[in-house]
Amino acid sequence: MKIDHSLPLEYGTDQNQLNILGFWIFLGAEIMLFGTLFASYFTLVDRTGSGPSGAEIFEITPVLIETIVLLTSSFVIGLGVHAMRIGRTKAMITFYAITLLLGLTFLGVEIYEFMHYVHIGAGLQVSAFTAILLTTLGTHGAHVTFGLVWGFFIILQVRKHGITPETANKSFIFSLYWHFLDVVWIFIFSFVYLKGMM
Amino acid sequence: MEFFERFAIPHPSAPIYASMVAIGLTVIAIVAGLTYFKKWGYLWREWLTTVDHKRIGIMYLISALLMLFRGGVDAIMMRSQTAIPENTLLDAQHYNEVFTTHGIVMIIFMAMPFIYALMNFVVPLQIGARDVAFPRLNALSFWLFFMGAMLFNISFVIGGSPDAGWTAYFPLAGNEFSTSVGTNYYALALQIAGLGTLMSGINFIVTILKMRAPGITLMKMPMFTWSALTANVIVVFAFPVLTVALIMMTMDRLFGTHFFATTNGGMDMLWANLFWVWGHPEVYILILPAFGVYSEVISTFARRNLYGYKSMVASMVGISFLSFLVWTHHFFTMGQGALTNSIFSVTTMAIAIPTGIKIFNWLFTMWKGKIEFTVPMLYAVGFIPIFTIGGVTGVMLAMASADYQYHNTMFLVAHFHYTIIPGVVFAMIAGLTYWWPKMFGFMLNERIGKWAFWFIAISFNVTFFPMFFTGLDGQARRMYTYSEATGFGPLNMLSFIGALGLAVGFALIAYNVYYSTRYASRNISADPWDARTLEWATQSPVPAYNFAITPQANSSEAFWDAKKKGHELFKGEVQKIHMPSNSGVPFIMSCIFFIWGFSFVFSLWIPAILATIGIFICMAQRSFERDPGYYISVKEIKETESKLRGA
Ligand code: HEM
Ligand SMILES: [Cu+2]
C-alpha cells in the first residue's frame, strides 16, 4: 500500500480517497432522501385529519435538549478528528466516546418524546401529519442509532490498531456522517419544530 | 393450517399451477445438475463470491436475459387476450396482474440490469481501470438486485402478484382495493433492488471520476463512459425518492399509516408525485446508456470519429438535469391548475431539444462515413427513425390540453414502447453483440443476427404502430377486453401477430447464442470490429487484471490513435498487480435481505427481526474485517498475456 505523506492520513492512500469521495456522494443521496421527507412533510403538515396539529403537541424542552446535545456532539467529534490528525490516539478515543454518549442522550430524549406523542394521542396511525412527522423524525433517529453502533465499532478498531490509514479513514468518514446528521437536525429543528410552534 | 393459508394465491388458474410445477422442476433440475457434475464449488468460488466487474457484468446480463423472457411471456399473454374482442383467455384480475408484472419486470428487472451489465463490463475497461472503485460493494449491488428480482418473481406462485399497475397509484394500491399481498411484494422487491442500484450509482460515479488512466481527462472519455456517468448521477439523485415513497407505501399497507390512504388527511396524489419524481428520471437512466452504446457503435461502423463530441456531452448533461423537471406530465389530467400544466408542458418539450441534437450528431457521424452494416450497426441505424417517432409522439403527449385525449389510451402505450424498445432494447442487443467477443472470446453469428434484427424491427412496428390509431380512437390502456362494436378488433389482431414476430426475433437471438457458442471460431483477434476505444486494446476474453500495463490515452479514441497514428498505449514494464479478494458476504447478506423482504410481505415479524439482525451482523463483519487483497505476480501476468496472445 502506497501512503502519500503529504496528505492527512485519512486521505493517504488511493483507496482512502475513493472511500471519502464515495461517502460524499452517498451523503448527496441522503440529502435527497431527507429532502423527499421534508417535501412530503410540507405537503402533509396541515392534513391533520381528526388528530392534533404540530402546535398542539410540540414541547420546547425536550427539543432544546436534543438540539443542544446533538450540536455539542458535532463539535466534540470535530475535536476528535483534530486529535486524530495530530496523532493523539487516547484523546481521539475520548472525544469519540463523548460524541457517542451525547448521541445516546439525544436518542434517549427522542424516545421519551415519541412515547409522549403516542401517549397524548399523536401516534403513527392517527393522521397523515403524525405519520410524516414521526417518519421524518424516526428516519433521523434511526440514522443516529445506526451511527452509535458504527461509531462504537470504530472506537474498538482504533483501540486495537491505533491510528492507521485505514482506521483514520473510517473515523473521518464517520465524522462526516455525524456532522451530516447534525445538519439534518438543524433543518428539522427550524422547519418542523420552530415553524410548527409559531 | 391457517398459517399456511396466507401463502395461497388468491386467483389460481391452470397456467399458474403449471408454472409452479415448472419452477419446482427447474429448481430440482438445477440442484441435481450442480450436484451431479460437482459444480457447487465452482459456482461458489468463481461466481457467487466474485468481485470482478466483468463477471458481475455477465451475471447481470444473464439475469436480464432471463427477465426479458419472463416479461416477454407476460407480453404475449396480454396480446393474446386482446387479439380478439371479448376474449376469455385471461380474466380481468389475471390481466391486471400480468400488465403490472410485465411493466415492473421489463423496466426494473430487465432494462436496469441490462444497462448495468454493459456498464460493469465496459466502463472500467474503457477508462483503463483495474476494476470499479468498490468491487465488493459492486457484488452487493448485483446480489441485492438479484434477490429483489427473485422476490418479485415468486409473487405469482406464493401469495399473489401485484395488480395495481407498475405505477401502483393510490388508492388502488392501498389495502382497501389491493387486498392480496401482491403490492407488498412490489414495495419490498423494489426497495431491495433499488438499494442495490443506488450503491451501483455511487460506485460508478467514483470509478469514473477517480480511476481513469493517465491522459483520459473528462472531455477525453469515450461516450459510453460519459453516458454511464450521467445516468449514475441521475440514479443517485432519483432513487432515494423511490426509497422514501416505498417506505411510506409499506407503512400504509402494513402499519396502518395514512400517507396515501384517502382517510385522516392522507393524500393519494403525493404517491403519484413521488413516484414520477423518481419515475421520469428513471426512464432517462435507461435511455442515456443506450445513447452511449449507439455513439460507440455508430462511430465504430461508420469508421469516423463521433461528430460533435462536446455537444453530445452537453446534451446528456442537459437531459439529466431536465429529467428532474418534467414529472408532472404523467398526470396532466389529475387536477393541477393550468399554470402548473403549462410549465411542465414546456419543460417536457424542452427535453426534445438535446435529444434532437444527439440524433443529428449521429446522422452527421454517418454522413460520408464508410458504413458497414454489421448487426450492432443495423440496430443503431434502425433506432434513429423508429425512436424519432417515439420522440415526436412524446412531444404530442407533452401538450397538456391535448393529453386529455391521449392520456391512458393505447396511444401512450405506443409512445413509450416506441422510445423504450428502439431506445433501450435495441441498444442493449446492439451492445451485447458488439461487446460479446470481449466478454466470451467469440463472435455471435452475423447471419442469424441479421435475421433476428429484421424480425424484431419489422414486428415491432407491426405490433405498436396500430396502437397509435386504436388509442386515438379511444381504446383505453390496461383494459382486459373490449366489445366487438368498438371496431378495435382487427388492429389488435395485427398487434398480436406483430407480438408473435417479436417473439420469433428474440428466439432467434437465443438460438444465435446457442449456435455461436457451439460453432463460432475461437480464433479471433482482440479487436474483431476494428474499433476505437480502450476496451479493445486488451485481450479477449479479458484477463482478471484487465490491462497488463495501465494504458496511456491521448484522446477519446486512444486505441484508434494507437493503431493509425502511432500513439504509444502501453509504456513501461509489467508490474505486480493488486487485486481485491473474493467474498461470500455480499451473497449471504442479499439472501438475508430476501428473507427480510419475504417476512415483511407476509408480516412475519419474528423472521423479519431475525433477518434484520442478520443484515447488521454482515455489516459488522465488514466493519471489522481487514482485507488486504492479493497480488498477481509479474511472472503470472506475462504467462497469461503470452497464452492469450498465442491463442
Ligand atoms: C422527446 C422525448 C419525450 C417526451 C416529450 C415524452 C413525453 C411523455 C409524456 C407527456 C408522457 C405522459 C403521457 C400520458 O400519460 O398521457 C410520457 C409517458 C411515458 N414515457 Fe415519454 N417522453 C419522451 C421520451 C421518453 C423516453 C426516452 C422514454 C423511455 C426510455 C419514455 C418513456 C415513457 C414511459 C414509460 C411513459 C409512460 C408511463 C406510464 O404511464 O406507464 N419517454 N412521455
Ligand atoms: Cu416522463
Side-chain angles (χ1 to χ4, degrees):
Chain A
M1 198 165 24
K2 274 200 302 277
I3 301 177
D4 181 346
H5 288 287
S6 66
L7 294 168
L9 204 51
E10 66 269 21
Y11 285 95
T13 67
D14 285 347
Q15 189 63 47
N16 277 3
Q17 294 181 14
L18 297 181
N19 293 350
I20 291 174
L21 178 64
F23 200 76
W24 273 110
I25 296 171
F26 171 73
L27 289 184
E30 288 273 65
I31 290 175
M32 283 306 291
L33 184 104
F34 282 103
T36 311
L37 284 169
F38 278 115
S40 309
Y41 180 82
F42 296 137
T43 312
L44 298 177
V45 64
D46 295 326
R47 305 179 68 103
T48 51
S50 51
S53 72
E56 288 162 24
I57 58 171
F58 292 152
E59 282 186 5
I60 193 73
T61 323
V63 175
L64 275 182
I65 299 177
E66 284 164 334
T67 309
I68 292 167
V69 166
L70 206 62
L71 288 183
T72 318
S73 79
S74 207
F75 175 70
V76 175
I77 203 169
L79 296 178
V81 170
H82 183 69
M84 178 181 88
R85 288 219 171 130
I86 56 177
R88 303 265 298 273
T89 317
K90 263 242 175 70
M92 173 191 168
I93 292 179
T94 315
F95 284 131
Y96 268 66
I98 296 174
T99 305
L100 296 188
L101 284 177
L102 290 169
L104 201 63
T105 317
F106 170 88
L107 197 66
V109 180
E110 183 157 65
I111 291 173
Y112 159 79
E113 193 194 330
F114 271 40
M115 298 208 310
H116 174 70
Y117 290 150
V118 174
H119 189 72
I120 60 172
L124 193 63
Q125 295 149 335
V126 172
S127 69
F129 164 70
T130 60
I132 189 65
L133 173 72
L134 297 181
T135 305
T136 310
L137 298 178
T139 308
H140 178 266
H143 275 73
V144 173
T145 315
F146 182 84
L148 291 178
V149 179
W150 181 18
F152 180 62
F153 288 172
I154 285 175
I155 292 182
L156 291 182
Q157 290 174 41
V158 175
R159 266 182 59 159
K160 186 154 170 226
H161 302 278
I163 301 176
T164 66
E166 212 177 350
T167 55
N169 186 244
K170 288 185 179 191
S171 313
F172 179 73
I173 287 176
F174 176 71
S175 78
L176 292 180
Y177 178 77
W178 201 261
H179 290 311
F180 171 75
L181 292 185
D182 211 27
V183 174
V184 173
W185 181 260
I186 291 172
F187 277 87
I188 292 181
F189 179 75
S190 323
F191 293 110
V192 175
Y193 291 114
L194 281 190
K195 196 162 164 289
M197 278 186 275
M198 271 188 321
Chain B
M1 209 46 229
E2 217 177 308
F3 175 79
F4 289 102
E5 265 163 29
R6 70 180 83 194
F7 299 116
I9 35 174
H11 295 277
S13 67
I16 292 185
Y17 286 127
S19 323
M20 278 186 196
V21 176
I23 291 175
L25 289 179
T26 318
V27 171
I28 294 171
I30 292 174
V31 172
L34 285 169
T35 313
Y36 182 78
F37 293 106
K38 299 200 172 52
K39 288 289 187 199
W40 284 106
Y42 165 80
L43 186 69
W44 177 257
R45 275 190 312 274
E46 304 288 326
W47 296 98
L48 301 188
T49 60
T50 189
V51 295
D52 180 338
H53 70 98
K54 301 178 285 296
R55 284 172 185 255
I56 291 174
I58 288 171
M59 291 194 291
Y60 267 118
L61 183 65
I62 295 171
S63 322
L65 291 173
L66 287 175
M67 287 296 114
L68 179 63
F69 177 74
R70 153 90 212 252
V73 171
D74 283 346
I76 293 285
M77 280 160 67
M78 285 187 286
R79 282 288 114 213
S80 319
Q81 162 63 23
T82 48
I84 48 174
E86 278 157 82
N87 198 358
T88 52
L89 189 69
L90 302 175
D91 59 27
Q93 171 61 25
H94 204 164
Y95 193 81
N96 293 349
E97 293 175 7
V98 173
F99 73 66
T100 303
T101 53
H102 168 78
I104 289 289
V105 164
M106 284 303 200
I107 291 195
I108 307 285
F109 298 127
M110 186 284 286
M112 287 298 277
F114 221 137
I115 66 168
Y116 273 110
L118 296 185
M119 277 193 222
N120 260 289
F121 195 89
V122 177
V123 166
L125 293 174
Q126 277 198 335
I127 60 173
R130 297 265 174 249
D131 205 313
V132 293
F134 312 112
R136 185 158 147 177
L137 189 68
N138 198 21
L140 183 61
S141 286
F142 168 74
W143 287 112
L144 283 179
F145 145 74
F146 183 82
M147 293 301 166
M150 288 299 113
L151 186 63
F152 190 82
N153 274 283
I154 61 167
S155 66
F156 81 111
V157 288
I158 307 177
S161 291
D163 56 1
W166 84 283
T167 48
Y169 282 158
F170 278 78
L172 182 58
N175 282 335
E176 198 184 334
F177 299 106
S178 292
T179 46
S180 83
V181 294
T183 307
N184 299 352
Y185 271 113
Y186 172 100
L188 286 144
L190 258 65
Q191 188 68 281
I192 293 173
L195 287 176
T197 308
L198 179 60
M199 293 174 196
S200 291
I202 297 172
N203 212 337
F204 277 92
I205 297 178
V206 178
T207 307
I208 296 172
L209 289 182
K210 283 288 223 178
M211 295 177 70
R212 301 189 307 275
I216 311 183
T217 58
L218 275 181
M219 291 311 270
K220 286 182 181 164
M221 294 197 305
M223 199 49 68
F224 181 68
T225 301
W226 253 115
S227 72
L229 179 62
T230 48
N232 282 299
V233 170
I234 307 183
V235 164
V236 167
F237 288 101
F239 269 76
V241 181
L242 178 70
T243 307
V244 171
L246 290 173
I247 290 175
M248 293 178 181
M249 171 188 252
T250 311
M251 289 178 51
D252 263 12
R253 290 187 54 88
L254 298 181
F255 307 133
T257 53
H258 300 277
F259 287 107
F260 310 128
T262 37
T263 49
N264 283 322
M267 190 181 186
D268 46 3
M269 279 311 287
L270 181 62
W271 166 265
N273 276 278
L274 293 179
F275 181 88
W276 286 114
V277 168
W278 162 78
H280 189 87
E282 164 65 20
V283 304
Y284 282 90
I285 292 167
L286 299 177
I287 201 74
L288 287 176
F291 287 170
V293 172
Y294 288 131
S295 298
E296 301 291 337
V297 165
I298 288 178
S299 98
T300 299
F301 296 108
R303 308 276 169 236
R304 293 194 54 196
N305 64 335
L306 192 64
Y307 183 90
Y309 181 95
K310 280 187 192 148
S311 61
M312 283 296 206
V313 172
S315 50
M316 284 199 295
V317 173
I319 289 176
S320 52
F321 179 70
L322 281 176
S323 73
F324 282 93
L325 301 177
V326 300
W327 77 92
T328 303
H329 68 212
H330 290 279
F331 40 87
F332 280 142
T333 57
M334 295 195 217
Q336 324 49 266
L339 179 67
T340 313
N341 274 359
S342 325
I343 292 172
F344 282 93
S345 263
V346 173
T347 53
T348 303
M349 291 181 203
I351 287 205
I353 299 170
T355 316
I357 293 176
K358 296 188 75 74
I359 301 268
F360 281 107
N361 280 339
W362 288 313
L363 292 175
F364 286 134
T365 308
M366 287 191 267
W367 184 252
K368 288 193 181 156
K370 281 204 272 313
I371 298 179
E372 194 184 339
F373 285 102
T374 58
V375 171
M377 189 62 170
L378 279 177
Y379 282 103
V381 173
F383 145 80
I384 290 177
I386 309 181
F387 181 81
T388 305
I389 299 178
V392 169
T393 52
V395 176
M396 290 169 70
L397 289 162
M399 295 183 270
S401 37
D403 189 50
Y404 276 72
Q405 173 70 20
Y406 314 134
H407 182 61
N408 268 353
T409 67
M410 295 310 277
F411 187 90
L412 166 70
V413 175
H415 154 69
F416 69 73
H417 285 91
Y418 262 82
T419 54
I420 292 185
I421 292 185
V424 186
V425 179
F426 280 22
M428 293 304 114
I429 306 173
L432 177 71
T433 318
Y434 181 63
W435 281 302
W436 187 275
K438 247 317 124 199
M439 295 180 180
F440 301 107
F442 61 93
M443 303 184 67
L444 289 175
N445 185 289
E446 282 279 302
R447 239 173 79 88
I448 307 177
K450 282 179 186 165
W451 274 100
F453 166 77
W454 286 111
F455 259 100
I456 290 176
I458 294 172
S459 314
F460 167 77
N461 287 293
V462 175
T463 312
F464 290 100
F465 208 76
M467 294 181 197
F468 285 125
F469 300 116
T470 58
L472 288 177
D473 278 347
Q475 188 185 0
R477 73 190 286 204
R478 295 176 173 167
M479 291 296 288
Y480 81 109
T481 194
Y482 49 89
S483 73
E484 184 149 21
T486 56
F488 301 146
L491 285 176
N492 276 281
M493 178 49 92
L494 196 57
S495 285
F496 172 61
I497 295 168
L500 291 181
L502 275 169
V504 173
F506 286 110
L508 277 175
I509 292 179
Y511 175 68
N512 196 1
V513 170
Y514 162 79
Y515 179 89
S516 309
T517 310
R518 274 197 81 163
Y519 301 111
S521 161
R522 264 43 177 190
N523 200 357
I524 57 164
S525 83
D527 174 28
W529 305 113
D530 194 13
R532 311 172 84 86
T533 39
L534 277 180
E535 72 271 28
W536 303 99
T538 183
Q539 318 290 349
S540 304
V542 187
Y545 48 79
N546 292 357
F547 296 91
I549 301 171
T550 303
Q552 314 253 334
N554 60 332
S555 74
S556 64
E557 307 181 319
F559 182 54
W560 185 257
D561 293 346
K563 287 191 290 190
K564 307 284 156 158
K565 298 183 194 158
H567 167 71
E568 199 185 340
L569 271 181
F570 301 108
K571 290 190 199 123
E573 277 298 300
V574 177
Q575 289 174 335
K576 66 177 180 176
I577 294 172
H578 182 249
M579 300 290 288
S581 17
N582 284 0
S583 167
V585 179
F587 176 71
I588 295 170
M589 186 166 164
S590 306
C591 289
I592 303 177
F593 256 105
F594 178 89
I595 299 170
W596 178 85
F598 187 83
S599 315
F600 264 85
V601 167
F602 288 99
S603 313
L604 304 169
W605 301 122
I606 292 168
I609 292 168
L610 291 178
T612 310
I613 295 172
I615 291 166
F616 282 111
I617 291 176
C618 291
M619 287 159 99
Q621 186 276 343
R622 179 58 177 159
S623 176
F624 284 106
E625 181 187 40
R626 288 287 173 279
D627 170 21
Y630 67 98
Y631 282 94
I632 304 183
S633 69
V634 174
K635 183 162 153 277
E636 213 178 311
I637 298 170
K638 286 196 167 145
E639 274 168 12
T640 317
E641 289 290 304
S642 61
K643 205 175 89 206
L644 285 171
R645 211 167 300 135

